[in-house]
mmCIF file of all heavy atoms in Angstrom:
data_model
loop_
_atom_site.group_PDB
_atom_site.id
_atom_site.type_symbol
_atom_site.label_atom_id
_atom_site.label_comp_id
_atom_site.label_asym_id
_atom_site.label_seq_id
_atom_site.Cartn_x
_atom_site.Cartn_y
_atom_site.Cartn_z
ATOM 1 N N VAL A 248 4.931 -11.111 0.392
ATOM 2 C CA VAL A 248 4.761 -12.575 0.473
ATOM 3 C C VAL A 248 4.876 -13.163 -0.906
ATOM 4 O O VAL A 248 5.440 -14.232 -1.096
ATOM 5 C CB VAL A 248 3.373 -12.902 1.085
ATOM 6 C CG1 VAL A 248 3.152 -14.409 1.091
ATOM 7 C CG2 VAL A 248 3.236 -12.325 2.514
ATOM 8 N N ALA A 249 4.308 -12.531 -1.947
ATOM 9 C CA ALA A 249 4.407 -12.950 -3.315
ATOM 10 C C ALA A 249 5.861 -13.134 -3.774
ATOM 11 O O ALA A 249 6.173 -14.069 -4.505
ATOM 12 C CB ALA A 249 3.664 -12.008 -4.237
ATOM 13 N N LEU A 250 6.759 -12.255 -3.304
ATOM 14 C CA LEU A 250 8.167 -12.333 -3.696
ATOM 15 C C LEU A 250 8.928 -13.415 -2.901
ATOM 16 O O LEU A 250 9.725 -14.128 -3.401
ATOM 17 C CB LEU A 250 8.837 -10.971 -3.444
ATOM 18 C CG LEU A 250 8.358 -9.828 -4.343
ATOM 19 C CD1 LEU A 250 8.957 -8.500 -3.918
ATOM 20 C CD2 LEU A 250 8.710 -10.062 -5.804
ATOM 21 N N GLU A 251 8.619 -13.524 -1.578
ATOM 22 C CA GLU A 251 9.337 -14.440 -0.734
ATOM 23 C C GLU A 251 8.815 -15.882 -0.864
ATOM 24 O O GLU A 251 9.540 -16.832 -0.625
ATOM 25 C CB GLU A 251 9.258 -14.015 0.678
ATOM 26 C CG GLU A 251 10.016 -12.660 0.952
ATOM 27 C CD GLU A 251 10.073 -12.379 2.437
ATOM 28 O OE1 GLU A 251 9.849 -13.243 3.275
ATOM 29 O OE2 GLU A 251 10.430 -11.186 2.716
ATOM 30 N N HIS A 252 7.491 -16.015 -1.099
ATOM 31 C CA HIS A 252 6.884 -17.408 -1.173
ATOM 32 C C HIS A 252 5.978 -17.514 -2.386
ATOM 33 O O HIS A 252 4.757 -17.774 -2.210
ATOM 34 C CB HIS A 252 6.041 -17.632 0.093
ATOM 35 C CG HIS A 252 6.889 -17.575 1.381
ATOM 36 N ND1 HIS A 252 7.765 -18.572 1.714
ATOM 37 C CD2 HIS A 252 6.947 -16.668 2.369
ATOM 38 C CE1 HIS A 252 8.329 -18.317 2.849
ATOM 39 N NE2 HIS A 252 7.860 -17.079 3.231
ATOM 40 N N PRO A 253 6.532 -17.327 -3.597
ATOM 41 C CA PRO A 253 5.673 -17.482 -4.817
ATOM 42 C C PRO A 253 5.048 -18.868 -4.962
ATOM 43 O O PRO A 253 4.025 -18.964 -5.575
ATOM 44 C CB PRO A 253 6.698 -17.200 -5.938
ATOM 45 C CG PRO A 253 8.012 -17.542 -5.322
ATOM 46 C CD PRO A 253 7.943 -17.213 -3.936
ATOM 47 N N ASP A 254 5.607 -19.894 -4.307
ATOM 48 C CA ASP A 254 5.064 -21.228 -4.452
ATOM 49 C C ASP A 254 3.795 -21.442 -3.688
ATOM 50 O O ASP A 254 3.045 -22.369 -4.007
ATOM 51 C CB ASP A 254 6.096 -22.241 -4.043
ATOM 52 C CG ASP A 254 6.609 -21.994 -2.566
ATOM 53 O OD1 ASP A 254 6.754 -20.827 -2.235
ATOM 54 O OD2 ASP A 254 6.870 -22.968 -1.849
ATOM 55 N N ARG A 255 3.547 -20.644 -2.705
ATOM 56 C CA ARG A 255 2.318 -20.853 -1.924
ATOM 57 C C ARG A 255 1.449 -19.623 -1.857
ATOM 58 O O ARG A 255 0.515 -19.547 -1.033
ATOM 59 C CB ARG A 255 2.722 -21.214 -0.440
ATOM 60 C CG ARG A 255 3.522 -20.249 0.320
ATOM 61 C CD ARG A 255 3.984 -20.785 1.648
ATOM 62 N NE ARG A 255 4.495 -19.765 2.534
ATOM 63 C CZ ARG A 255 5.004 -20.083 3.744
ATOM 64 N NH1 ARG A 255 5.056 -21.316 4.163
ATOM 65 N NH2 ARG A 255 5.430 -19.080 4.531
ATOM 66 N N TRP A 256 1.673 -18.666 -2.710
ATOM 67 C CA TRP A 256 0.877 -17.439 -2.762
ATOM 68 C C TRP A 256 -0.121 -17.439 -3.898
ATOM 69 O O TRP A 256 0.326 -17.811 -5.025
ATOM 70 C CB TRP A 256 1.799 -16.175 -2.797
ATOM 71 C CG TRP A 256 1.061 -14.908 -2.766
ATOM 72 C CD1 TRP A 256 1.032 -14.027 -3.781
ATOM 73 C CD2 TRP A 256 0.347 -14.338 -1.673
ATOM 74 N NE1 TRP A 256 0.296 -12.886 -3.403
ATOM 75 C CE2 TRP A 256 -0.115 -13.093 -2.093
ATOM 76 C CE3 TRP A 256 0.031 -14.754 -0.462
ATOM 77 C CZ2 TRP A 256 -0.892 -12.255 -1.287
ATOM 78 C CZ3 TRP A 256 -0.703 -13.921 0.368
ATOM 79 C CH2 TRP A 256 -1.222 -12.709 -0.052
ATOM 80 N N GLY A 257 -1.329 -16.992 -3.678
ATOM 81 C CA GLY A 257 -2.284 -16.880 -4.756
ATOM 82 C C GLY A 257 -2.367 -15.475 -5.283
ATOM 83 O O GLY A 257 -2.017 -15.133 -6.446
ATOM 84 N N GLY A 258 -2.744 -14.521 -4.408
ATOM 85 C CA GLY A 258 -2.861 -13.165 -4.875
ATOM 86 C C GLY A 258 -3.655 -12.245 -3.940
ATOM 87 O O GLY A 258 -4.162 -12.679 -2.900
ATOM 88 N N LEU A 259 -3.889 -11.011 -4.405
ATOM 89 C CA LEU A 259 -4.607 -9.995 -3.612
ATOM 90 C C LEU A 259 -5.852 -9.624 -4.403
ATOM 91 O O LEU A 259 -5.791 -9.321 -5.622
ATOM 92 C CB LEU A 259 -3.718 -8.742 -3.402
ATOM 93 C CG LEU A 259 -2.546 -8.964 -2.478
ATOM 94 C CD1 LEU A 259 -1.446 -7.966 -2.805
ATOM 95 C CD2 LEU A 259 -2.952 -8.834 -1.033
ATOM 96 N N ILE A 260 -7.001 -9.548 -3.722
ATOM 97 C CA ILE A 260 -8.249 -9.231 -4.405
ATOM 98 C C ILE A 260 -9.026 -8.268 -3.499
ATOM 99 O O ILE A 260 -9.276 -8.562 -2.325
ATOM 100 C CB ILE A 260 -9.164 -10.502 -4.592
ATOM 101 C CG1 ILE A 260 -8.418 -11.565 -5.410
ATOM 102 C CG2 ILE A 260 -10.469 -10.110 -5.256
ATOM 103 C CD1 ILE A 260 -9.119 -12.882 -5.448
ATOM 104 N N ASP A 261 -9.346 -7.042 -3.989
ATOM 105 C CA ASP A 261 -10.144 -6.112 -3.288
ATOM 106 C C ASP A 261 -11.498 -6.085 -3.961
ATOM 107 O O ASP A 261 -11.660 -5.771 -5.127
ATOM 108 C CB ASP A 261 -9.513 -4.702 -3.408
ATOM 109 C CG ASP A 261 -10.136 -3.740 -2.392
ATOM 110 O OD1 ASP A 261 -9.858 -3.859 -1.185
ATOM 111 O OD2 ASP A 261 -10.921 -2.876 -2.774
ATOM 112 N N ILE A 262 -12.521 -6.482 -3.179
ATOM 113 C CA ILE A 262 -13.842 -6.669 -3.772
ATOM 114 C C ILE A 262 -14.914 -6.471 -2.678
ATOM 115 O O ILE A 262 -14.678 -6.821 -1.528
ATOM 116 C CB ILE A 262 -13.925 -8.138 -4.344
ATOM 117 C CG1 ILE A 262 -15.219 -8.363 -5.067
ATOM 118 C CG2 ILE A 262 -13.721 -9.163 -3.228
ATOM 119 C CD1 ILE A 262 -15.322 -9.716 -5.844
ATOM 120 N N ALA A 263 -16.051 -5.869 -3.103
ATOM 121 C CA ALA A 263 -17.169 -5.695 -2.212
ATOM 122 C C ALA A 263 -18.040 -6.898 -2.202
ATOM 123 O O ALA A 263 -18.076 -7.715 -3.173
ATOM 124 C CB ALA A 263 -17.979 -4.443 -2.603
ATOM 125 N N ASP A 264 -18.859 -7.103 -1.158
ATOM 126 C CA ASP A 264 -19.743 -8.232 -1.093
ATOM 127 C C ASP A 264 -20.724 -8.266 -2.245
ATOM 128 O O ASP A 264 -21.065 -9.363 -2.786
ATOM 129 C CB ASP A 264 -20.510 -8.264 0.234
ATOM 130 C CG ASP A 264 -19.646 -8.616 1.358
ATOM 131 O OD1 ASP A 264 -18.534 -9.102 1.167
ATOM 132 O OD2 ASP A 264 -20.136 -8.515 2.523
ATOM 133 N N THR A 265 -21.098 -7.077 -2.739
ATOM 134 C CA THR A 265 -22.129 -7.045 -3.916
ATOM 135 C C THR A 265 -21.491 -7.579 -5.185
ATOM 136 O O THR A 265 -22.230 -7.832 -6.111
ATOM 137 C CB THR A 265 -22.570 -5.636 -4.049
ATOM 138 O OG1 THR A 265 -21.408 -4.730 -4.198
ATOM 139 C CG2 THR A 265 -23.416 -5.153 -2.837
ATOM 140 N N ASP A 266 -20.172 -7.617 -5.288
ATOM 141 C CA ASP A 266 -19.513 -8.067 -6.503
ATOM 142 C C ASP A 266 -18.933 -9.483 -6.346
ATOM 143 O O ASP A 266 -18.226 -9.961 -7.199
ATOM 144 C CB ASP A 266 -18.380 -7.124 -6.948
ATOM 145 C CG ASP A 266 -18.907 -5.736 -7.311
ATOM 146 O OD1 ASP A 266 -19.869 -5.637 -8.037
ATOM 147 O OD2 ASP A 266 -18.282 -4.736 -6.938
ATOM 148 N N MET A 267 -19.283 -10.167 -5.264
ATOM 149 C CA MET A 267 -18.604 -11.387 -4.926
ATOM 150 C C MET A 267 -18.852 -12.483 -6.004
ATOM 151 O O MET A 267 -18.020 -13.497 -6.009
ATOM 152 C CB MET A 267 -19.013 -11.879 -3.550
ATOM 153 C CG MET A 267 -18.009 -12.755 -2.877
ATOM 154 S SD MET A 267 -16.395 -11.940 -2.605
ATOM 155 C CE MET A 267 -16.799 -10.854 -1.244
ATOM 156 N N ALA A 268 -19.858 -12.422 -6.814
ATOM 157 C CA ALA A 268 -20.108 -13.407 -7.871
ATOM 158 C C ALA A 268 -18.906 -13.479 -8.816
ATOM 159 O O ALA A 268 -18.747 -14.463 -9.527
ATOM 160 C CB ALA A 268 -21.396 -13.106 -8.566
ATOM 161 N N LEU A 269 -18.130 -12.404 -8.918
ATOM 162 C CA LEU A 269 -16.993 -12.354 -9.779
ATOM 163 C C LEU A 269 -15.771 -13.040 -9.240
ATOM 164 O O LEU A 269 -14.773 -13.250 -9.927
ATOM 165 C CB LEU A 269 -16.636 -10.923 -10.107
ATOM 166 C CG LEU A 269 -17.720 -10.051 -10.780
ATOM 167 C CD1 LEU A 269 -17.295 -8.629 -10.912
ATOM 168 C CD2 LEU A 269 -18.013 -10.613 -12.195
ATOM 169 N N LEU A 270 -15.785 -13.411 -7.921
ATOM 170 C CA LEU A 270 -14.623 -13.960 -7.282
ATOM 171 C C LEU A 270 -14.096 -15.264 -7.899
ATOM 172 O O LEU A 270 -12.908 -15.432 -8.133
ATOM 173 C CB LEU A 270 -14.919 -14.185 -5.790
ATOM 174 C CG LEU A 270 -13.778 -14.707 -4.932
ATOM 175 C CD1 LEU A 270 -12.597 -13.749 -4.892
ATOM 176 C CD2 LEU A 270 -14.236 -15.005 -3.556
ATOM 177 N N PRO A 271 -14.969 -16.263 -8.219
ATOM 178 C CA PRO A 271 -14.431 -17.511 -8.826
ATOM 179 C C PRO A 271 -13.664 -17.298 -10.077
ATOM 180 O O PRO A 271 -12.630 -17.909 -10.293
ATOM 181 C CB PRO A 271 -15.758 -18.325 -9.036
ATOM 182 C CG PRO A 271 -16.711 -17.785 -8.060
ATOM 183 C CD PRO A 271 -16.394 -16.319 -7.953
ATOM 184 N N GLY A 272 -14.145 -16.345 -10.979
ATOM 185 C CA GLY A 272 -13.374 -16.110 -12.202
ATOM 186 C C GLY A 272 -11.999 -15.525 -11.929
ATOM 187 O O GLY A 272 -11.084 -15.844 -12.651
ATOM 188 N N ILE A 273 -11.894 -14.695 -10.906
ATOM 189 C CA ILE A 273 -10.606 -14.165 -10.480
ATOM 190 C C ILE A 273 -9.680 -15.280 -9.971
ATOM 191 O O ILE A 273 -8.495 -15.316 -10.332
ATOM 192 C CB ILE A 273 -10.734 -12.987 -9.473
ATOM 193 C CG1 ILE A 273 -11.627 -11.895 -10.030
ATOM 194 C CG2 ILE A 273 -9.437 -12.534 -9.037
ATOM 195 C CD1 ILE A 273 -12.024 -10.869 -8.990
ATOM 196 N N LEU A 274 -10.212 -16.078 -9.118
ATOM 197 C CA LEU A 274 -9.378 -17.191 -8.522
ATOM 198 C C LEU A 274 -8.933 -18.145 -9.629
ATOM 199 O O LEU A 274 -7.848 -18.736 -9.438
ATOM 200 C CB LEU A 274 -10.229 -17.947 -7.491
ATOM 201 C CG LEU A 274 -10.652 -17.119 -6.257
ATOM 202 C CD1 LEU A 274 -11.523 -17.951 -5.382
ATOM 203 C CD2 LEU A 274 -9.439 -16.672 -5.451
ATOM 204 N N ALA A 275 -9.667 -18.323 -10.680
ATOM 205 C CA ALA A 275 -9.270 -19.240 -11.699
ATOM 206 C C ALA A 275 -8.402 -18.577 -12.791
ATOM 207 O O ALA A 275 -7.897 -19.233 -13.731
ATOM 208 C CB ALA A 275 -10.532 -19.853 -12.357
ATOM 209 N N GLY A 276 -8.254 -17.250 -12.706
ATOM 210 C CA GLY A 276 -7.514 -16.495 -13.707
ATOM 211 C C GLY A 276 -6.029 -16.410 -13.415
ATOM 212 O O GLY A 276 -5.493 -17.060 -12.513
ATOM 213 N N ALA A 277 -5.338 -15.561 -14.204
ATOM 214 C CA ALA A 277 -3.844 -15.501 -14.130
ATOM 215 C C ALA A 277 -3.365 -14.281 -13.382
ATOM 216 O O ALA A 277 -2.232 -14.092 -13.127
ATOM 217 C CB ALA A 277 -3.304 -15.415 -15.582
ATOM 218 N N GLU A 278 -4.265 -13.343 -13.018
ATOM 219 C CA GLU A 278 -3.941 -12.089 -12.377
ATOM 220 C C GLU A 278 -3.817 -12.289 -10.905
ATOM 221 O O GLU A 278 -4.640 -13.040 -10.269
ATOM 222 C CB GLU A 278 -4.941 -10.944 -12.635
ATOM 223 C CG GLU A 278 -5.066 -10.639 -14.105
ATOM 224 C CD GLU A 278 -3.809 -9.946 -14.702
ATOM 225 O OE1 GLU A 278 -3.053 -9.405 -13.894
ATOM 226 O OE2 GLU A 278 -3.666 -9.952 -15.957
ATOM 227 N N ASP A 279 -2.833 -11.660 -10.234
ATOM 228 C CA ASP A 279 -2.650 -11.864 -8.768
ATOM 229 C C ASP A 279 -2.750 -10.578 -7.996
ATOM 230 O O ASP A 279 -2.631 -10.588 -6.772
ATOM 231 C CB ASP A 279 -1.273 -12.497 -8.510
ATOM 232 C CG ASP A 279 -0.120 -11.578 -8.873
ATOM 233 O OD1 ASP A 279 -0.330 -10.561 -9.493
ATOM 234 O OD2 ASP A 279 1.080 -11.907 -8.432
ATOM 235 N N GLN A 280 -3.139 -9.463 -8.663
ATOM 236 C CA GLN A 280 -3.407 -8.204 -7.960
ATOM 237 C C GLN A 280 -4.652 -7.533 -8.662
ATOM 238 O O GLN A 280 -4.460 -6.976 -9.725
ATOM 239 C CB GLN A 280 -2.219 -7.221 -7.990
ATOM 240 C CG GLN A 280 -0.989 -7.827 -7.232
ATOM 241 C CD GLN A 280 0.154 -6.836 -7.270
ATOM 242 O OE1 GLN A 280 0.016 -5.647 -7.036
ATOM 243 N NE2 GLN A 280 1.330 -7.391 -7.500
ATOM 244 N N VAL A 281 -5.800 -7.716 -8.047
ATOM 245 C CA VAL A 281 -7.068 -7.381 -8.690
ATOM 246 C C VAL A 281 -7.950 -6.550 -7.792
ATOM 247 O O VAL A 281 -8.033 -6.802 -6.584
ATOM 248 C CB VAL A 281 -7.832 -8.700 -9.091
ATOM 249 C CG1 VAL A 281 -9.179 -8.334 -9.606
ATOM 250 C CG2 VAL A 281 -7.043 -9.450 -10.102
ATOM 251 N N MET A 282 -8.576 -5.468 -8.364
ATOM 252 C CA MET A 282 -9.607 -4.748 -7.679
ATOM 253 C C MET A 282 -10.835 -4.731 -8.473
ATOM 254 O O MET A 282 -10.807 -4.578 -9.732
ATOM 255 C CB MET A 282 -9.111 -3.271 -7.406
ATOM 256 C CG MET A 282 -8.128 -3.128 -6.299
ATOM 257 S SD MET A 282 -7.880 -1.437 -5.873
ATOM 258 C CE MET A 282 -6.735 -1.591 -4.459
ATOM 259 N N VAL A 283 -11.967 -4.900 -7.821
ATOM 260 C CA VAL A 283 -13.306 -4.932 -8.493
ATOM 261 C C VAL A 283 -13.993 -3.596 -8.126
ATOM 262 O O VAL A 283 -14.203 -3.363 -7.008
ATOM 263 C CB VAL A 283 -14.087 -6.132 -8.110
ATOM 264 C CG1 VAL A 283 -15.446 -6.117 -8.842
ATOM 265 C CG2 VAL A 283 -13.355 -7.425 -8.392
ATOM 266 N N ARG A 284 -14.405 -2.907 -9.177
ATOM 267 C CA ARG A 284 -15.133 -1.627 -8.991
ATOM 268 C C ARG A 284 -16.330 -1.577 -9.937
ATOM 269 O O ARG A 284 -16.183 -1.760 -11.128
ATOM 270 C CB ARG A 284 -14.168 -0.450 -9.251
ATOM 271 C CG ARG A 284 -13.016 -0.292 -8.344
ATOM 272 C CD ARG A 284 -13.492 0.047 -6.920
ATOM 273 N NE ARG A 284 -12.438 0.168 -5.896
ATOM 274 C CZ ARG A 284 -11.959 -0.843 -5.210
ATOM 275 N NH1 ARG A 284 -12.525 -2.067 -5.321
ATOM 276 N NH2 ARG A 284 -10.956 -0.620 -4.329
ATOM 277 N N SER A 285 -17.527 -1.371 -9.309
ATOM 278 C CA SER A 285 -18.790 -1.264 -10.055
ATOM 279 C C SER A 285 -18.947 -2.363 -11.035
ATOM 280 O O SER A 285 -19.329 -2.245 -12.204
ATOM 281 C CB SER A 285 -18.787 0.094 -10.837
ATOM 282 O OG SER A 285 -18.637 1.162 -9.961
ATOM 283 N N GLY A 286 -18.750 -3.575 -10.538
ATOM 284 C CA GLY A 286 -18.946 -4.783 -11.359
ATOM 285 C C GLY A 286 -17.962 -5.087 -12.381
ATOM 286 O O GLY A 286 -18.157 -5.950 -13.236
ATOM 287 N N THR A 287 -16.811 -4.387 -12.456
ATOM 288 C CA THR A 287 -15.731 -4.614 -13.418
ATOM 289 C C THR A 287 -14.497 -4.998 -12.708
ATOM 290 O O THR A 287 -14.034 -4.335 -11.712
ATOM 291 C CB THR A 287 -15.491 -3.379 -14.285
ATOM 292 O OG1 THR A 287 -16.714 -3.034 -14.947
ATOM 293 C CG2 THR A 287 -14.421 -3.636 -15.320
ATOM 294 N N VAL A 288 -13.831 -6.003 -13.234
ATOM 295 C CA VAL A 288 -12.562 -6.456 -12.656
ATOM 296 C C VAL A 288 -11.396 -5.673 -13.271
ATOM 297 O O VAL A 288 -11.315 -5.539 -14.495
ATOM 298 C CB VAL A 288 -12.342 -7.953 -12.898
ATOM 299 C CG1 VAL A 288 -10.983 -8.428 -12.340
ATOM 300 C CG2 VAL A 288 -13.419 -8.795 -12.316
ATOM 301 N N HIS A 289 -10.514 -5.159 -12.399
ATOM 302 C CA HIS A 289 -9.332 -4.393 -12.885
ATOM 303 C C HIS A 289 -8.144 -5.026 -12.337
ATOM 304 O O HIS A 289 -8.026 -5.483 -11.176
ATOM 305 C CB HIS A 289 -9.391 -2.940 -12.367
ATOM 306 C CG HIS A 289 -10.565 -2.128 -12.869
ATOM 307 N ND1 HIS A 289 -11.856 -2.322 -12.387
ATOM 308 C CD2 HIS A 289 -10.624 -1.202 -13.812
ATOM 309 C CE1 HIS A 289 -12.646 -1.492 -13.074
ATOM 310 N NE2 HIS A 289 -11.934 -0.786 -13.899
#
């Protein structure tokens, strides 16, 4: 989807409910493929 519709795609985020407080920072950032593990964004 990112390749075919870059104009309407945000990104992919793999995150547990316990780390959800980090979600706004990811949404406002520049990365579009992110995984959160043990409280750290990768």
Side-chain angles (χ1 to χ4, degrees):
V248 178
L250 293 173
E251 294 187 15
H252 298 288
D254 56 324
R255 62 187 192 183
W256 182 247
L259 293 155
I260 304 170
D261 193 74
I262 186 172
D264 286 352
T265 54
D266 293 318
M267 205 60 73
L269 301 173
L270 181 63
I273 299 171
L274 296 175
E278 300 290 341
D279 66 348
Q280 296 181 45
V281 173
M282 284 192 177
V283 181
R284 295 293 179 269
S285 302
T287 301
V288 178
H289 297 77

